[in-house]
Amino acid sequence: MKKHIEGRVWRFADNVDTDQIIPAKYLVTGDRDELAKHAFENVRPEFAEGAKDGDVIVSGGNFGSGSSREHAPRALLGAGITCVIAPSFARIFFRNSINIGLPLIECEIDAADGDILNVDLENGKIANKSTGVEYTFPSLPDFLMKLLDIGLIENTKRKLGTKRSG
Amino acid sequence: MGMTIAEKILAMHAGRGSVSPKEIVDATIDYVMVNDVTGLPAFEVFEEFDATPICEKTVLIQDHYVPNKDVASAEQAKSMRNFARRYGIENHFDVGRGGVCHQIMIEEGFAAPGRLIVGADSHTCSYGALGALSTGIGSSEAASAMATGELWFRVPETQKFTVEGELGDYVMGKDIILNIIGDIGVSGSLYKSMEIYGSAIVLLPLSDRITISNMAIEAGAKCGIIPPDEKVFSYLNDRVIGDYSPVYADEDAEYEDTFEYDAAEIVPMVAKPHLPENVAPASEVDVTIDQAYLGSCTNGRIEDLRCAAEILAGRRVHPDVRMIVVPASKSVFEEALREGLLETFMAADAYVAGPTCGACLGGYMGVLADGERCVSSTNRNFIGRMGHKDSEVYLANPAVVAASAITGRITDPGDI
């Protein structure tokens, strides 16, 4: 996972639900690249084609509400999204994202479509290069930072290893 | 300092004397459930662990896209069958043997007071109606829980809701929870535990309590717990797997916030597109409908079907409306058949189908076209939820769904 991100903004409003991120009819695969082809299809049809590696999402509150589908953060990773910034996240989306290595930042910022952001995950800083405004955010608790870093799969393998040798 | 129900259940399962809100704890889970949509990604992740699942804690339920809607969903369902066979998992509910996952978790006795249950489906919070702490998770962590029997939890702050008094005619659990969500908003309980009390809740049948807990997630909650009573114990009597011990909040438990409601003031409600918080009395919403859907983990139980059948008896569904009735499980279907409810629905020109989640999430078996409008007993009215992005879903209780099916427009059942 990258600790320093420079990316172009896709701006969304409040209460972006996981049905918007990836409509249920595409939930017949877990493949992130396949899912990415349909990300935001109903609400931002230009997203799937237009999203580039390194882009970031800036949203209003309660991002990722609704269904537990891990397909949602997988679709965003598949589309090249490097982090999501919002004042709050729905809890299952939050867990899913951390588990599979998509950084989420709880912070309310002013940013418009196409703005360029500099994000420093380690030191909790965001700079909107397009507006010149800077923001700070509290970093995740150590446990979650570690989980984000190594991923749930590796974390589980280590846990199982400890159990087996113990 | 005393603890809330959620704090106590997490402390017990984390092997701790007490826990406090915001803490992150590792806790032992009682069950982990996946369905056919969330199962496939979980099974793929599981293969990376070089482990065997804890079979007695693992529950696999085929419900979203079964009977298979297409080849891709058929492959997905097959992956669950293969996983069950490979590891000898007996708790596998396939087509014709189960139904909507949350109804099965309750009917088959997995859900019980004091238990900590996770499921890769957001409406896993339904079992709060039986006094369990149950909550939705993702596929990867479901795989992890199958392998380790544990999962991390952030101890939630708890909000206390109290509903006192008696509900009026055709006012149901659905209206209580829509009222609450309308009040606090779709993120009003974000990350939190709802605890629900009051004389109106005590009077409610278990079925309506399940509707309330089911929709806790629509306010963003981790869980919606109702303290278990005799109704829960007698329901579990001949079906619960293993022992259980009810958990109640301490008298000096600390609540982040308290909310009080007068049951007599609650009327049949609808949640208008495109958020469950967008509520209004059914009597004040004047729109025509194209489809009426009765089913789902929210309101697909026998009590819901009885309520709708009573209104539909001797009447016909409006000629411009398709009504679709989907009992939530095989046993609900059997009971509805025995009681003659299915006959009533069919005599009224409703279409009756076997259990599946299909229509609720716009998968199949009732997908809406451009501009169509559905009154639905389900839990979500998001953009495109039941079909085309420009279709609309109005959430309501089973009585409102039945009354609206007859008149062809959103209707308060008291008005027919």
Side-chain angles (χ1 to χ4, degrees), chain B residues 174-196:
Chain B
K174 184 67 155 280
D175 305 299
I176 293 177
I177 189 65
L178 286 178
N179 215 64
I180 290 174
I181 297 166
D183 185 25
I184 65 174
V186 291
S187 55
S189 294
L190 208 56
Y191 309 129
K192 294 171 188 162
S193 170
M194 302 168 101
E195 256 176 41
I196 305 142

Side-chain angles (χ1 to χ4, degrees), chain A residues 15 17 19-20 24-25 27-30 42-43 62 66-71 74 88-92 94-96 99-100 106 141 143-144 147 152-153 156-157 159-160 163-164, chain B residues 24 26 37 41 45 48-51 65 69 72-73 76 120-122 135-141 144 147-148 150-153 186-187 190-191 222 275 361 380 382-383 385 389:
Chain A
N15 301 317
D17 59 70
D19 278 83
Q20 290 180 45
K25 63 180 169 183
L27 305 183
V28 287
T29 174
N42 280 338
V43 289
N62 199 25
S67 153
S68 68
R69 61 192 71 160
E70 190 175 303
H71 310 68
R74 286 188 186 200
S88 62
F89 294 92
R91 59 165 286 280
I92 310 176
F94 183 89
R95 297 180 68 100
N96 283 338
N99 284 336
I100 66 171
E106 281 194 345
F143 168 78
L144 294 181
L147 190 57
L152 177 84
I153 292 176
T156 304
K157 283 183 184 170
K159 205 177 204 179
L160 287 166
K163 278 193 170 182
R164 279 172 194 143
Chain B
I24 291 174
D26 256 327
V37 158
V45 166
E48 307 223 10
F49 296 151
D50 185 26
Y65 290 157
K69 82 177 171 85
S73 65
Q76 206 161 241
D121 188 287
S122 61
T135 192
I137 59 168
S139 294
S140 293
E141 52 187 0
S144 180
T148 64
E150 295 170 3
L151 203 61
W152 67 271
F153 294 87
V186 291
S187 55
L190 208 56
Y191 309 129
K222 180 180 218 132
L275 284 174
L361 72 161
R380 291 197 171 127
F382 299 156
I383 295 167
R385 172 71 180 183
K389 67 181 173 63

